[in-house]
Amino acid sequence: MTPAMNPDVRVDRQLVTGIGRFQKPTLITGIAFALISLIGLLFDAPSFYRSWLPSWLFWLQINAGCLAILFLQYISGGQWGIVIRRPLGAAARSMPVLALLFIPLLASVWLRSGAVYPWADPAVAGADAVMIQKARYLNPTFWTLRALFFFLCWIVWAWRVKAVSRAFEASKDPYLELSRRKWSSTGLLMIVMTLTFCSVDWLMSVEPKWFSTMFGISFTIGCGLSALAFVTLIMARLSTTKAVADVVKPSHLRDLGNLMLAFTMLWAYTAFSEFLLVWYANIKEEIPYFIKREHGGWGVIAASLVLFHFFLPFFMLLMRSIKDRPRTIAIVSAIVLVMRYVNLYWLAAPAFHPEFHYSWMSLTSLIGIGGLWLWFFIGQLKGQTIIPIYETWVEEALREGAVKTHA
């Protein structure tokens, strides 16, 4: 992409990745598909809202996961984060787009239609003893205030860490680096807590009578896995350009692959543990949730999650030859991202459709939200060196010539 920098500074075009050329097409695509989805709203509002939810959550998981991984990188340091810190930061600062695109879900609650959240419909909630008991927590006002709090935390932390990083770049003051670590340490705790609560508010409450104490941690781990798959895919594709070919080494991709492997196993562990506990307890209030997701078309989706969300990435990421090569690690990353969306759809859609159902608005909303988010993401990424050259631990990257490489 063309760097947004002082015109007196000349940048060798061979050392520019060229990803900026995708910014305008992603914006046009995002607007077009979002408008198509809005047309669907005029004819079938419930289907629009129900399609919007898993699509929006997919991009939210990437965004929030990148913020969490960025905090982890600032706290721990390490070579594994050299090549992904810039994409992580750009993604973390893209949360305002998702906050704006949260409006349709907000509207579905305040219109009290119950299309997505049954507790938002007074007629339904008032006739159910369980939802009456939960009304102090699940009500439009408190739900909206919590959502505003979540977005405020995510946006403030992302931009504050960026501001401290810029100050550190200018002064090299070690106290600023310490300040960034402190913000990241508290931010990591903040992101885990807020993701846990938002998973309950935005996903688990589509079936307000069901509950699981492991749902939040599984959702949070899914965010980390989505983020790692996204940034690994980005860097694997950029590594084929002249600007990045000499910067991204096989060891970098191998480290990212190992992290993806760890998060894949952790996601599988929490997801299976949740299922096992519900199966073992065999409580009538809990088992309907999984029964409807194990039969018919939803059962096929469940089997595909076992095969393609765990076993396939697991065995592929065990092979060093796959993790070291940009093309193969990109394939694994793409598989993980696709299955992350399938997983979110499998968690949300059966609450609305007992039999397998996939609306055309699910696809248009996924592309529309993604196009708008990627447009903002690319805008945040451009004008920077791929490697954070001002960091004290990046001397090796400087020797590799990374200082001349721009996004």
Side-chain angles (χ1 to χ4, degrees):
M1 103 188 28
T2 303
M5 51 197 324
N6 192 308
D8 295 332
V9 178
R10 297 181 180 275
V11 176
D12 188 342
R13 293 296 169 183
Q14 291 185 342
L15 299 177
V16 176
T17 63
I19 194 176
R21 67 182 183 272
F22 296 107
Q23 187 177 19
K24 187 174 181 179
T26 56
L27 176 62
I28 295 173
T29 302
I31 292 175
F33 279 86
L35 289 175
I36 293 173
S37 295
L38 289 175
I39 293 174
L41 172 63
L42 301 176
F43 296 96
D44 189 354
S47 292
F48 168 79
Y49 294 129
R50 293 166 180 174
S51 299
W52 194 268
L53 175 64
S55 300
W56 183 84
L57 285 174
F58 171 75
W59 293 103
L60 174 75
Q61 285 208 330
I62 293 176
N63 199 143
C66 284
L67 183 58
I69 300 297
L70 180 66
F71 290 152
L72 184 62
Q73 222 294 307
Y74 279 135
I75 295 169
S76 64
Q79 290 281 336
W80 64 270
I82 288 179
V83 296
I84 62 171
R85 184 176 285 191
R86 295 298 199 192
L88 286 174
R93 296 190 299 276
S94 300
M95 188 61 75
V97 174
L98 293 177
L100 182 65
L101 296 174
F102 183 71
I103 292 176
L105 298 177
L106 195 63
S108 73
V109 169
W110 281 97
L111 290 174
R112 301 181 184 275
S113 64
V116 178
Y117 303 106
W119 52 264
D121 185 350
V124 175
D128 189 280
V130 174
M131 282 191 269
I132 291 174
Q133 293 295 319
K134 294 185 177 183
R136 293 183 180 180
Y137 186 83
L138 292 177
N139 63 79
T141 301
F142 195 22
W143 185 86
T144 302
L145 290 175
R146 291 195 301 273
L148 293 175
F149 176 74
F150 299 151
F151 286 119
L152 180 64
C153 288
W154 297 335
I155 293 171
V156 167
W157 250 273
W159 287 90
R160 178 57 184 165
V161 168
K162 176 62 176 178
V164 175
S165 294
R166 285 179 174 174
F168 174 72
E169 179 180 0
S171 66
K172 304 297 188 296
D173 186 346
Y175 287 101
L176 288 173
E177 185 174 12
L178 179 61
S179 175
R180 186 175 60 186
R181 286 175 178 267
K182 290 180 178 178
W183 274 93
S184 298
S185 300
T186 57
L188 196 58
L189 177 61
M190 175 276 298
I191 197 74
V192 171
M193 295 296 293
T194 52
L195 286 176
T196 299
F197 279 95
C198 83
S199 69
V200 175
D201 284 3
W202 299 340
L203 185 55
M204 193 166 77
S205 72
V206 297
E207 296 187 70
K209 298 173 70 173
W210 184 73
F211 53 89
S212 169
T213 55
M214 294 197 68
F215 193 86
I217 188 63
S218 183
F219 182 89
T220 303
I221 292 168
C223 291
L225 180 57
S226 297
L228 284 170
F230 174 76
V231 294
T232 302
L233 179 61
I234 292 290
M235 294 313 302
R237 299 306 300 167
L238 291 181
S239 67
T240 60
T241 65
K242 293 181 179 179
V244 186
D246 294 332
V247 177
V248 178
K249 305 175 184 177
S251 60
H252 294 137
L253 298 177
R254 189 185 317 135
D255 288 342
L256 295 175
N258 289 335
L259 282 170
M260 264 202 296
L261 174 62
F263 272 81
T264 296
M265 292 190 294
L266 192 56
W267 171 83
Y269 170 77
T270 55
F272 178 72
S273 296
E274 181 181 51
F275 169 78
L276 185 63
L277 289 172
V278 171
W279 174 82
Y280 181 78
N282 199 27
I283 301 174
K284 65 178 182 180
E285 290 84 5
E286 296 179 356
I287 58 175
Y289 182 87
F290 283 104
I291 288 176
K292 71 175 69 173
R293 287 167 172 79
E294 293 176 1
H295 296 85
W298 297 123
V300 175
I301 299 298
S304 72
L305 288 170
V306 174
L307 292 174
F308 301 112
H309 197 337
F310 174 63
F311 281 110
L312 182 60
F314 174 77
F315 286 112
M316 292 182 74
L317 291 171
L318 287 177
M319 304 179 196
R320 180 170 176 170
S321 59
I322 289 180
K323 290 181 287 189
D324 286 0
R325 298 175 182 173
R327 176 175 292 185
T328 50
I329 194 67
I331 292 173
V332 179
S333 300
I335 292 172
V336 170
L337 283 174
V338 170
M339 297 314 298
R340 287 303 308 141
Y341 172 72
V342 172
N343 177 238
L344 286 169
Y345 191 81
W346 180 77
L347 291 173
F352 319 124
H353 309 286
E355 301 296 330
F356 177 77
H357 174 82
Y358 193 81
S359 169
W360 60 269
M361 282 184 280
S362 297
L363 181 61
T364 57
S365 60
L366 179 67
I367 299 174
I369 296 170
L372 294 172
W373 186 84
L374 287 170
W375 162 74
F376 197 89
F377 163 76
I378 296 173
Q380 289 297 311
L381 187 60
K382 68 181 179 182
Q384 305 180 87
T385 56
I386 289 295
I387 301 297
I389 58 176
Y390 57 88
E391 297 291 349
T392 56
W393 42 264
V394 81
E395 294 179 0
E396 180 182 353
L398 289 174
R399 289 198 297 271
E400 295 291 333
V403 65
K404 298 180 180 180
T405 303
H406 287 76

